[in-house]
Amino acid sequence: MTKWLDSVGTDEDVVISTRLRIARNISNYKFPDFMAMDESQAVIEEVLNAMKDNKDIYRFYRVDDLSELERVELVEDHLISPRLAKSSKNGGFLLREDEKSTIMINEEDHIRIQVLLSGLNTHDGWEICSEIDDHLEKNIEYAFHEKFGYLTSCPTNVGTGLRASVMVHLPCLSMTGHINTIIDGLGKIGLTSRGIYGEGSKALGHLFQISNQTTLGENEEEIIKKLNRVVLQIVARERSTRGYMLDKKKIELEDKIFRSLGILNYSRLISSTEAMAHLSNVKLGCDVAIINSINPKDIVKLMIDIQPANIQRNSNREMTKDERDIYRAQIIRNKFRNMEG
């Protein structure tokens, strides 16, 4: 998994990923929460039929056919939503072979198209998203209202149905406390900050998802343009704060980064929360050239690999929390040994 990290975006010293998601529903069907099983099965068949020309590059998965561990791993890899992973009503998804796009079926809405790319890449992401949406719309009659736009299960998605998100790594703005001012300011311009797995999740490892708050009243291009503009301002703030700390507090910064490197290299037991905090410091060290022997993208991949479901899948067995903490420390030590040569 995490093939999407292989794509190339811009500003990767601060921006981890760009995600575009649009919500769509099919006319003449109830919303997923109110559908009977035969209706939800009919929705799956409509979507699969609409995508039959692309069956060579997409693979269909039915959520019920996956173990709980496999579902959580897909959430940790950012390929499906936490809500779809818990779906009990014929949830399914089509995953493109390069993992850049997922078409979720019977999540909160009948269809959720997601495009996920590395770095800041809203232009390419929107092109891919639009292409899939246009293809589906040729074969499926979407629920649409002239005044309200695309109709969705949750009122906050009505209109364009577009949620555009950019995941940013903001260690220096977090260390200086300036992140709180930025998050407060986002709400005033129709944007919001979420944790690394979306609404209700925590901002681990100084990672924040910046996304649009509303989907009605602006078209898709306006939403993406505003998000892009604000993200670039945040990127500039993070970089200038990094520059300030390198200039005025270099010893303290180096101490924090190398302490984290030491803990990661020698721990025998470590939780995912602690590991994320130290990996964040080491990624910062790589991005500001305090550490030159490690590729920052390898740190991002490790941030995903050390999540609970991923380490259990890699070990081919279920584990207790204590067992996971021991195995996580072992994975990190081995990875750092390989990364540093």
Side-chain angles (χ1 to χ4, degrees):
M1 295 292 178
T2 64
K3 289 181 186 174
W4 59 269
L5 269 173
D6 296 337
S7 60
V8 178
T10 63
D11 305 291
E12 292 189 341
D13 57 324
V14 178
V15 181
I16 304 296
S17 62
T18 300
R19 182 176 69 95
L20 285 302
R21 187 271 288 154
I22 51 177
R24 297 287 184 262
N25 286 282
I26 304 175
S27 289
N28 302 319
Y29 285 95
K30 298 169 189 165
F31 289 132
D33 281 350
F34 302 97
M35 285 192 303
M37 290 299 279
D38 59 334
E39 291 173 299
S40 57
Q41 178 57 34
V43 167
I44 285 181
E45 288 168 8
E46 283 220 31
V47 176
L48 293 181
N49 187 51
M51 291 297 293
K52 64 184 178 185
D53 295 341
N54 296 279
K55 62 184 179 183
D56 292 338
I57 59 169
Y58 281 92
R59 183 174 174 186
F60 175 66
Y61 298 85
R62 199 178 285 276
V63 172
D64 282 346
D65 292 341
L66 302 174
S67 69
E68 187 175 347
L69 211 54
E70 288 172 321
R71 300 179 196 186
V72 179
E73 185 187 18
L74 286 158
V75 174
E76 291 177 355
D77 292 346
H78 304 281
L79 297 176
I80 66 171
S81 67
R83 180 170 177 132
L84 183 68
K86 294 176 183 172
S87 169
S88 59
K89 279 196 174 180
N90 268 333
F93 60 97
L94 286 154
L95 179 63
R96 204 165 96 165
E97 58 184 8
D98 61 6
E99 298 180 359
K100 289 180 181 175
S101 60
T102 309
I103 302 169
M104 290 177 262
I105 310 170
N106 294 331
E107 202 241 31
E108 187 177 22
D109 296 287
H110 296 143
I111 300 168
R112 288 208 163 182
I113 303 166
Q114 172 184 285
V115 173
L116 181 64
L117 299 173
S118 182
L120 185 58
N121 214 338
T122 50
H123 179 266
D124 289 350
W126 178 238
E127 274 200 350
I128 296 171
C129 207
S130 287
E131 189 179 324
I132 298 167
D133 187 35
D134 291 346
H135 182 82
L136 285 172
E137 199 162 19
K138 283 180 187 171
N139 299 286
I140 291 174
E141 186 182 344
Y142 284 154
F144 185 84
H145 187 279
E146 284 189 7
K147 183 177 179 183
F148 300 115
Y150 291 102
L151 302 180
T152 55
S153 180
C154 178
T156 60
N157 291 315
V158 168
T160 61
L162 170 65
R163 191 77 63 191
S165 307
V166 176
M167 188 183 291
V168 286
H169 180 227
L170 305 174
C172 288
L173 287 172
S174 301
M175 288 175 203
T176 56
H178 292 151
I179 187 67
N180 297 325
T181 308
I182 289 173
I183 289 174
D184 288 345
L186 290 174
K188 296 172 184 170
I189 54 172
L191 300 178
T192 188
S193 169
R194 295 182 168 88
I196 62 173
Y197 296 114
E199 195 168 356
S201 63
K202 295 179 182 175
L204 298 172
H206 304 131
L207 297 173
F208 301 84
Q209 278 200 74
I210 312 297
S211 61
N212 59 308
Q213 206 163 18
T214 56
T215 56
L216 189 62
E218 294 175 299
N219 64 37
E220 292 90 340
E221 286 74 17
E222 288 169 339
I223 290 170
I224 290 170
K225 194 174 175 182
K226 180 165 76 177
L227 177 68
N228 215 59
R229 185 176 69 248
V230 172
V231 166
L232 285 174
Q233 290 173 359
I234 293 173
V235 167
R237 285 281 302 275
E238 171 64 22
R239 284 179 181 153
S240 71
T241 309
R242 291 179 184 185
Y244 167 80
M245 294 183 77
L246 282 170
D247 185 41
K248 304 293 184 186
K249 299 185 176 184
K250 188 171 183 183
I251 291 296
E252 291 96 321
L253 194 61
E254 286 180 332
D255 184 66
K256 185 182 281 289
I257 290 166
F258 284 114
R259 277 176 187 268
S260 288
L261 189 59
I263 289 169
L264 294 169
N265 262 311
Y266 294 104
S267 286
R268 293 307 191 256
L269 189 97
I270 193 165
S271 69
S272 57
T273 301
E274 184 184 5
M276 288 292 284
H278 293 303
L279 287 169
S280 168
N281 290 338
V282 171
K283 182 180 184 310
L284 171 63
C286 300
D287 289 326
V288 298
I290 288 176
I291 297 172
N292 295 305
S293 56
I294 298 173
N295 183 339
K297 268 200 173 181
D298 288 338
I299 301 296
V300 176
K301 187 171 187 313
L302 192 51
M303 284 176 161
I304 295 170
D305 288 344
I306 53 104
Q307 298 304 317
N310 264 277
I311 61 174
Q312 289 175 90
R313 281 274 290 158
N314 288 337
S315 68
N316 293 316
R317 67 185 178 91
E318 292 190 10
M319 295 176 164
T320 65
K321 181 183 178 305
D322 288 346
E323 288 175 326
R324 291 200 302 269
D325 288 352
I326 293 169
Y327 191 62
R328 180 178 296 111
Q330 184 182 327
I331 288 174
I332 293 172
R333 289 198 310 275
N334 291 340
K335 288 280 186 184
F336 270 88
R337 200 170 296 131
N338 293 332
M339 282 192 272
E340 293 181 294

